[in-house]
Amino acid sequence: MTSSPSTVTVDVHLTDEEWDAAMVEECRRGLTATPKVLSPVWFYDARGSQLFDEITRLPEYYPTRAERSLLAEHAAAMVSAAGADTLVELGSGTSDKTRHLLDALTADGRPARYVPFDVSEATVRAAADQLVEEYPALQVHAVIGDFNRHLGAIPVEGRRLVAFLGSTIGNLDPDERRRFLGALRLVLGEDDRFLLGVDLVKDRDVLVRAYDDADGVTAEFNRNALCHLNDRLGATFDPATFRHVARWDEAASRIEMHLRSTLEQAVRLDALDLEVRFDRGEELRTEISTKFTMEGIAAELDEAAFDVVRTWVAEPGFGLLLARPAA
């Protein structure tokens, strides 16, 4: 089959300046809230991204390995069941695990489209340039945007399989998940499909170890968010005065990561013209990671007018669900 030459198109709906301003405002709200919270976006400066890559290779951290194994084994079945010729990936990053789906999508040289959707234009462009070298039949139509605001900017091209991997949906609280799934349902047509990755409820000790490894890599990753604030916002955090805390919230079915101040202190953030005081023992929440049952997430999808078509599960408990818009 003759394929069209690869091309890269990038639609920018969110500039770096706009994203930075949104991060700063969210930081102000979170640090002046009771209790204090910090968005996990602050994890990912260059050092944080490097640390997270190390985390994904730790023996305690199973989610990346489990999801990758599912994609490696079942990507062809997922693409076939979706009947897709276009893959949309929300929070695409470097598009690493995506290659399993792209291999299936472009099998036998079939022309296909890939729509990476992320906030970082530089990251998306670098990944897209690499992908069109690897996949001669691939057309890349990237979208730079925030999935909380710009889902309507996803191109309407072909039969779309929208992938939201890595159990990123677990970083959203129930109201945020409801809004996200409802907004996504509104932009999907009857022939489109949704592939969702979710981490599943399992033994508490397994969950806690995944977020508090023996080598302390996750603790360094957590405290690095404070280094990022120091660099970007002229903050005066001393990361050594904060202890990494990871605990399981049974009632909310989620792991929470916190930074606990080991002393009474005041922190200045020059870019916000803000001073934040911490009591000794006071905690700053940096992330939530909800864990699901397959029945529970299916019920959330049903509430948002999605029907689950197929599911795949890998040990020690990670699931992928393929859903279609309900009639």
Side-chain angles (χ1 to χ4, degrees), residues 202-213:
K202 54 186 65 65
D203 181 79
R204 174 192 175 280
D205 290 340
V206 172
L207 289 166
V208 172
R209 284 196 300 269
Y211 294 84
D212 194 9
D213 61 277

Side-chain angles (χ1 to χ4, degrees), residues 14 19 89-92 117-119 143-152 154 163-165 168-169 171-172 176-177 179-181 183-184:
L14 180 71
W19 179 240
E89 185 178 11
L90 304 179
S92 56
F117 187 114
D118 209 305
V119 298
V143 177
I144 310 305
D146 177 357
F147 62 69
N148 290 310
R149 291 189 283 158
H150 301 116
L151 290 177
I154 297 173
F164 195 34
L165 304 175
T168 304
I169 196 168
N171 298 140
L172 308 179
E176 290 169 332
R177 293 199 301 273
R179 288 193 296 270
F180 165 75
L181 291 172
L184 180 63

Side-chain angles (χ1 to χ4, degrees), residues 66-109:
E67 184 175 51
R68 192 186 299 275
S69 73
L70 286 176
L71 292 169
E73 184 174 357
H74 301 292
M78 294 170 186
V79 169
S80 176
D85 55 23
T86 299
L87 173 64
V88 180
E89 185 178 11
L90 304 179
S92 56
T94 60
S95 305
D96 182 30
K97 288 180 293 187
T98 319
R99 283 166 169 78
H100 295 296
L101 293 169
L102 292 176
D103 287 343
L105 201 67
T106 60
D108 302 320

Side-chain angles (χ1 to χ4, degrees), residues 17 132 157 175 214 216 221-222 266 290 298 316:
E17 293 74 18
V132 295
E157 299 173 336
D175 287 340
F221 173 70
N222 198 8
T290 304

